[in-house]
Amino acid sequence: MDRRRALSIFVVWSLAITFAGAATPLFVTPDVPTVTSGGVELLPWQIFRYDAAGANYTLELNVPGTPALDAIHKLDEPGGWLLSVESANDLGGLLGMPALPADVIRRHGSGLYDLFFCGAALGISSDVNLDALYLAGGDAGSLVASFDIPFEFPSGSGTFYDPADLLRFARTSGGGCADWSIAGFALDASAAGSGIAAANNVVAADFRGGFALALDTPSDLAPTSGPTTYVPGHVVSWNGVTFGLFEQLAGWPAGSVVDGLSGQANPGRIDPTIEPLRLGKAPGGQLVLTWSASCSSGADDFGIYEGTLVSIDNGIYDHVRIDCHDAAPALSETITPGAASQYYLIVPYNPQGEGSYGVTSAPSVERPQAVGPLDRCSVAQILTGCP
């Protein structure tokens, strides 16, 4: 390789986050012991990863104390989860006190458990069960939750919520389990299309560019672009206009309800302070790029983007994808560089979206996605901080 050519190749850092690609992987848990048509046994205290390709259910987590899980959410923190339980449970003594049905438990990547959200401390009645949840905006985002019966909140306010509603809670000062306040509807079920009947209970939820919901009984929803009736094993989408079939879980039996549902975590952000993106020579005029892992558990793969330095000199970015798969060995890829003086970006992504393209040095702002949707490894992008 020409020495001047080698020196003219410039390496820059990257990341960002998205939703709107493939529905799976999904993480699910059943309300009762369940055997799929493929013979996989799912238990209510277990979380399984479901991949539509191959209709695979793979055990992801056994929760200690064998609690019946009512809600789950995969955190960006590697190994991190949010959980809610159907009845009081101290997870085999790992919690200092039993978690109640209106509480949310956090599992840290270290394997430690503590209380993340304490319903009673906010004035939620002890007979109310939190049975669906997700975080909006990454691990430091707001909590969205649904409850199993109609209830008034705050008590005496005259505001009532139905079992199909999703409520948003925002952090107040502090990080304790009582440091939350109600911030209104995330989803007013009565206003979704012709409305989700008050008798229907949303028992699992996430947000994947639109709402992904599981219901406890066969349900007719309108308007719909999917089946006439949604049944157990169907994950239902609501995009603000129509309901649809987000995912049909292969082999899911009619007698079991999807009691916990979570999409993949966000792809996260590559931290150049841990291991800068490095460039090396390879035979035949090729280059070897190496980089560090994403800060998030949601990075299933990495996209490699190439642009020209002349565009940066002119105040624009012209990067496009040149590879959307990090082949083994991991966190390393051999590429054939373009003819011009180039810069490179490495972007974490998963089937639901891609992550950050990194930030500029001065001023510190996010680099833009590739301009053309076909020039990206994933069309959408959602930016969240590292856990």
Side-chain angles (χ1 to χ4, degrees):
M1 175 181 288
D2 180 86
R3 185 172 182 273
R4 290 178 301 166
R5 171 83 179 93
L7 291 175
S8 69
I9 296 173
F10 180 61
V11 182
V12 284
W13 247 140
S14 61
L15 165 102
I17 294 179
T18 307
F19 291 143
T24 64
L26 291 173
F27 298 90
V28 297
T29 192
D31 66 330
V32 294
T34 297
V35 179
T36 70
S37 63
V40 180
E41 184 180 37
L42 317 177
L43 297 174
W45 53 89
Q46 296 176 327
I47 300 173
F48 280 78
R49 173 176 170 141
Y50 171 76
D51 291 279
N56 291 324
Y57 292 87
T58 306
L59 181 62
E60 185 79 11
L61 181 67
N62 253 315
V63 179
T66 64
L69 298 176
D70 251 357
I72 62 174
H73 174 78
K74 193 176 197 313
L75 293 168
D76 294 348
E77 177 192 11
W81 290 89
L82 295 183
L83 314 166
S84 183
V85 294
E86 185 176 305
S87 58
N89 193 295
D90 67 357
L91 306 189
L94 293 182
L95 285 174
M97 63 181 67
L100 302 177
D103 295 341
V104 177
I105 304 163
R106 178 167 186 160
R107 182 190 193 271
H108 296 268
S110 63
L112 296 176
Y113 292 82
D114 56 28
L115 288 177
F116 182 78
F117 176 92
C118 294
L122 275 72
I124 299 175
S125 172
S126 60
D127 63 343
V128 177
N129 186 357
L130 188 155
D131 60 358
L133 69 90
Y134 66 87
L135 284 184
D139 287 6
S142 56
L143 177 70
V144 176
S146 184
F147 298 85
D148 67 334
I149 59 175
F151 75 110
E152 182 185 23
F153 187 78
S155 178
S157 66
T159 302
F160 289 83
Y161 297 95
D162 290 326
D165 292 333
L166 292 173
L167 286 63
R168 187 183 301 275
F169 295 87
R171 271 286 186 197
T172 58
S173 59
C177 72
D179 295 324
W180 296 90
S181 63
I182 184 74
F185 284 105
L187 173 66
D188 181 352
S190 64
S194 62
I196 302 176
N200 285 2
N201 185 12
V202 168
V203 292
D206 204 345
F207 193 85
R208 305 280 101 186
F211 292 99
L213 312 169
L215 301 167
D216 64 339
T217 58
S219 303
D220 293 318
L221 303 173
T224 182
S225 61
T228 302
T229 301
Y230 294 96
V231 299
H234 284 174
V235 179
V236 181
S237 66
W238 169 250
N239 62 10
V241 179
T242 59
F243 292 98
L245 183 59
F246 183 81
E247 184 68 32
Q248 181 171 348
L249 301 177
W252 194 273
S256 177
V257 170
V258 179
D259 219 22
L261 171 71
S262 177
Q264 179 61 293
N266 296 312
R269 180 176 299 273
I270 296 172
D271 186 351
T273 64
I274 296 175
E275 174 63 36
L277 176 59
R278 298 184 184 276
L279 180 151
K281 296 181 181 180
Q286 293 186 303
L287 298 174
V288 178
L289 304 179
T290 57
W291 59 91
S292 62
S294 170
C295 65
S296 172
S297 65
D300 281 352
D301 213 332
F302 296 86
I304 298 173
Y305 287 77
E306 182 182 72
T308 61
L309 287 178
V310 67
S311 72
I312 294 180
D313 291 340
N314 292 325
I316 61 174
Y317 287 96
D318 64 353
H319 46 263
V320 297
R321 65 181 188 181
I322 59 171
D323 193 341
C324 288
H325 177 54
D326 174 26
L331 307 180
S332 175
E333 196 72 10
T334 300
I335 64 168
T336 300
S341 298
Q342 310 290 338
Y343 67 91
Y344 293 93
L345 304 171
I346 308 296
V347 182
Y349 78 98
N350 61 36
Q352 295 153 356
E354 70 178 352
S356 166
Y357 285 61
V359 295
T360 60
S361 55
S364 181
V365 296
E366 286 285 340
R367 294 191 185 93
Q369 280 187 287
V371 173
L374 296 180
D375 295 326
R376 308 169 190 166
C377 292
S378 183
V379 174
Q381 183 182 40
I382 297 175
L383 296 171
T384 60
C386 283

